[in-house]
Amino acid sequence: TATLGFDRVHSLLAPEPNHVGPQVQVGTAYTTLGPGANVPLDRVQNRYRNAAMLSRTAGRHRLVAGWEVARLQFNGREASSNRSNVYFRNDFGFDAIRNFRDGRANRFTTGIGGIDRGFRNWEQEYFLGDTWQVHSRLTLDLGVRYEPVTGPYEVNGLTQIPFRCDCNNWAPRLGFAWRTGGRGALRGAYGVHFGEMFAVTLQQLRWNPPNFLKIEVNAPASILDPLAGANLSAGARSTLFVVPEDLRSPYSHQYNLSWEAELPKRARVSLGYVGSRTHKLFYMWHTNRALDVPGIPFTSATINERRVDSRYFEVRQVSNMSRAYFDAARVNITAPDWHGMTFDASYWFSKAIDLGGAYTNTAAGDDSRNGVSQTDRVVQADLKGVSLFDQSHAALVRWRYVVPGPRTVRALRGWNLSAVWLAKSGLPFTVLTGSDAPGFGNSDGASGDRPMLLDPRVLGARVNHPDVSRERLPVTAFRGLRRGETAGNLGFNTFRRGGIRNLNAALDRDWRIAGERRLTLRAESVNFTNTPQFADPNTDWTNPAFGMITNTLNEGRSFSFTLQFRW
């Protein structure tokens, strides 16, 4: 078989027509004013692809081989602070709100230069596999994939990307299925899987000098003219993005093992384990941070004077710095017909850990600002913790009951009652100082500072209800950083919000009127028990609302009724 395809995706983000001025951020927990730093964006992606697969059965073997090759075109404009950003934080002896009211900005950033680019690159994948029926009870699957990744180039020569090729991506795979005979079936698999080399990761180099300047001014003297006195000529100081020549695709060792057996009355039980070890995950390494230099005042205004390399502001390096670990066990019971009921129930126990960059991290955009280390040294140790998506426990029950005809009152016959119940542990979150200024953070020009822990009794607290959230996360349990302290002693993702408890239910019945004409009545409820799922508390230690839960993640109980006539 062979296929040819063409896909075209046009993405457009434009400022609201009545917007005024730059993006304004007050603290880290208040609503941002104005469109984001990546607006405007006008991008077109064209993908030309072809694929083919050959297969042949020979005795006990089924052999397959094939490939998929795609040509990608990325054309358009992508902004990086071109509309400018103004930040107001706790600084200068005042809180963020007071500084906002009085016009005392903590930081100003802007991008100057052309942002139109056209990139081209290839995607390739080649595979070979064999399904081998060893005997009637044992089947083996063997295979290998080759996935070379080549770097893109800019058609007008405006952006040079040093990465050329990650050409050593061989991915072997092995799987088996064994029917044990009377004791169920045992299945297992192991494989190496390579991740994607994201276009957005490599194309950040479009925002580098000399064709683009990303300017940073700390504690500008005038909010009306924050660039007063700044050097805006070609070759001026700028933020620098770095993509190393030896960047590699993330890859993962994935493995699983499961056992399934049949119980009386056609019920089934299965036990399973799945795990992975992922290496070379992308992470945005924020370097060239300000140090505490003798003779230079330790203030927000002197951050750029205290940077190690005076040619640049922050240097943002894409790296393969992170690793991730995942393990999960599952038990599942299915009963297709038990006294008129059908149900299945599952329970998972899992643990996900990473070193600051999860498996979806692109080291670009919002990903580059999530999980920023407190310093540009010992990054992995500083960020090691449970992953942002880690939920240790999860349970799911699905149930359906059909009221039997002969055994019940006529009015109850034929009604179907169904329900789905889901429960999960709460997700982790991190407490931040909320300000990089002296007395709060380490004043190095980067976010991500965490406070000093004063009361270890709050560690591991589940902040799961507005009535107790400030008791479990009191502001007095922490303090800001003092001069000479480069990092807080509070760990990453050390707290958890409330979990999920949700029940959806439905009741329905179908009547046959005559011939093909039928009448169906259905009543259903979402969140039948009206159980709230609370959002994270305010995690900004400098915010007056620190520790407060002010929102929910779900809606309240709802009902809907449907009457349907078919003919």
Side-chain angles (χ1 to χ4, degrees):
T1 60
T3 61
L4 295 173
F6 170 71
D7 300 320
R8 181 180 176 89
V9 178
H10 184 190
S11 303
L12 177 64
L13 291 176
E16 199 276 329
N18 298 317
H19 83 282
V20 177
Q23 177 181 234
V24 178
Q25 296 187 24
V26 183
T28 59
Y30 297 105
T31 301
T32 300
L33 305 177
N38 63 333
V39 177
L41 180 148
D42 189 356
R43 177 180 60 216
V44 175
Q45 174 183 305
N46 297 321
R47 183 189 300 266
Y48 303 86
R49 52 189 173 83
N50 71 87
M53 186 178 75
L54 305 174
S55 65
R56 181 181 180 184
T57 300
R60 294 174 176 264
H61 298 268
R62 182 177 181 272
L63 303 172
V64 296
W67 71 83
E68 181 173 357
V69 177
R71 176 66 165 173
L72 274 68
Q73 299 177 344
F74 293 88
N75 300 313
R77 54 201 328 257
E78 297 190 27
S80 179
S81 303
N82 288 67
R83 294 177 42 263
S84 302
N85 301 290
V86 185
Y87 302 87
F88 296 91
R89 301 284 190 259
N90 281 40
D91 201 353
F92 319 116
F94 303 99
D95 62 31
I97 290 291
R98 178 67 182 273
N99 285 329
F100 174 62
R101 289 169 52 193
D102 294 345
R104 281 185 297 267
N106 175 266
R107 184 165 168 252
F108 174 86
T109 62
T110 190
I112 302 172
I115 54 177
D116 292 277
R117 300 289 189 275
F119 293 95
R120 305 289 184 268
N121 71 292
W122 292 92
E123 289 182 347
Q124 305 171 69
E125 180 179 293
Y126 309 90
F127 61 90
L128 177 68
D130 179 18
T131 300
W132 177 21
Q133 188 72 46
V134 182
H135 59 70
S136 59
R137 292 186 178 181
L138 178 62
T139 302
L140 293 180
D141 278 293
L142 307 169
V144 63
R145 305 176 84 89
Y146 177 53
E147 304 173 17
V149 178
T150 57
Y153 67 92
E154 207 282 320
V155 293
N156 299 306
L158 297 175
T159 298
Q160 301 299 320
I161 298 178
F163 170 77
R164 285 292 173 262
C165 184
D166 183 7
C167 295
N168 195 32
N169 296 348
W170 294 93
R173 302 185 184 189
L174 167 67
F176 74 91
W178 177 38
R179 288 184 294 175
T180 60
R183 296 186 179 87
L186 188 66
R187 298 179 178 87
Y190 164 79
V192 176
H193 299 262
F194 282 89
E196 184 178 352
M197 188 76 77
F198 303 102
V200 69
T201 304
L202 302 176
Q203 294 176 19
Q204 297 176 93
L205 298 184
R206 71 169 74 211
W207 302 315
N208 274 347
N211 296 314
F212 190 90
L213 295 178
K214 196 170 174 69
I215 306 296
E216 177 181 312
V217 180
N218 289 285
S222 171
I223 194 61
L224 299 178
D225 188 11
L227 290 175
N231 181 6
L232 305 181
S233 62
R237 192 175 190 177
S238 175
T239 296
L240 183 69
F241 293 85
V242 178
V243 172
E245 183 178 357
D246 60 352
L247 191 69
R248 293 295 178 258
S249 304
Y251 67 93
S252 177
H253 297 274
Q254 299 183 12
Y255 32 86
N256 63 77
L257 184 66
S258 66
W259 171 76
E260 183 176 350
E262 191 166 324
L263 302 175
K265 296 186 180 296
R266 296 190 300 147
R268 304 187 73 84
V269 61
S270 66
L271 304 175
Y273 162 79
V274 61
S276 67
R277 298 295 182 269
T278 306
H279 303 270
K280 298 186 182 298
L281 285 168
F282 292 140
Y283 178 78
M284 178 61 84
W285 188 13
H286 296 252
T287 64
N288 198 37
R289 302 194 192 183
L291 304 177
D292 188 354
V293 180
I296 300 179
F298 191 70
T299 65
S300 296
T302 63
I303 284 177
N304 291 331
E305 296 179 50
R306 295 185 282 109
R307 294 189 187 275
V308 176
D309 190 339
S310 60
R311 295 174 300 169
Y312 306 107
F313 300 116
E314 193 172 61
V315 177
R316 303 178 183 178
Q317 301 186 39
V318 178
S319 70
N320 293 119
M321 187 179 294
S322 185
R323 299 192 301 273
Y325 313 84
F326 179 74
D327 295 281
R330 175 184 63 89
V331 57
N332 176 259
I333 299 176
T334 302
D337 186 10
W338 185 69
H339 299 290
M341 290 186 292
T342 299
F343 79 92
D344 65 86
S346 302
Y347 167 74
W348 297 265
F349 174 73
S350 64
K351 178 67 70 174
I353 299 173
D354 63 55
L355 305 182
Y359 69 96
T360 59
N361 197 300
T362 64
D366 290 339
D367 286 346
S368 69
R369 294 182 290 272
N370 292 330
V372 177
S373 62
Q374 298 185 85
T375 70
D376 56 9
R377 301 173 298 281
V378 293
V379 174
Q380 295 175 325
D382 184 63
L383 294 176
K384 183 178 181 179
V386 294
S387 303
L388 288 171
F389 59 88
D390 178 70
Q391 292 181 294
S392 303
H393 303 276
L396 174 68
V397 178
R398 294 180 293 188
W399 174 75
R400 183 176 180 86
Y401 178 64
V402 180
V403 179
R407 305 177 185 176
T408 57
V409 179
R410 183 184 182 91
L412 298 179
R413 296 174 190 171
W415 286 95
N416 300 318
L417 178 63
S418 59
V420 178
W421 178 75
L422 175 67
K424 287 186 175 183
S425 302
L427 293 169
F429 66 87
T430 301
V431 170
L432 301 172
T433 61
S435 176
D436 182 48
F440 303 104
N442 55 21
S443 194
D444 66 351
S447 60
D449 297 329
R450 303 193 293 272
M452 287 289 186
L453 178 68
L454 300 179
D455 186 355
R457 293 176 298 178
V458 303
L459 289 176
R462 296 184 182 275
V463 189
N464 55 7
H465 198 282
D467 293 345
V468 299
S469 62
R470 302 198 83 172
E471 296 176 12
R472 296 186 178 181
L473 203 63
V475 68
T476 54
F478 313 93
R479 70 164 174 83
L481 302 183
R482 297 167 181 160
R483 185 168 185 172
E485 295 176 335
T486 57
N489 62 359
L490 183 65
F492 190 70
N493 279 346
T494 47
F495 302 96
R496 287 187 183 270
R497 73 181 186 207
I500 294 174
R501 303 290 186 274
N502 189 72
L503 176 65
N504 298 336
L507 180 68
D508 65 86
R509 184 178 177 182
D510 188 75
W511 292 272
R512 188 174 66 180
I513 306 302
E516 297 296 324
R517 288 174 289 184
R518 306 183 73 88
L519 185 68
T520 301
L521 174 64
R522 180 177 177 84
E524 56 186 334
S525 174
V526 176
N527 191 13
F528 182 73
T529 57
N530 200 32
T531 303
Q533 298 170 20
F534 293 110
D536 288 354
N538 188 309
T539 59
D540 178 350
W541 180 69
T542 61
N543 193 294
F546 174 70
M548 293 181 62
I549 297 175
T550 59
N551 202 359
T552 59
L553 301 174
N554 65 338
E555 302 291 338
R557 180 194 296 122
S558 66
F559 291 95
S560 64
F561 301 89
T562 304
L563 183 63
Q564 185 181 59
F565 179 65
R566 290 172 292 172
W567 69 94

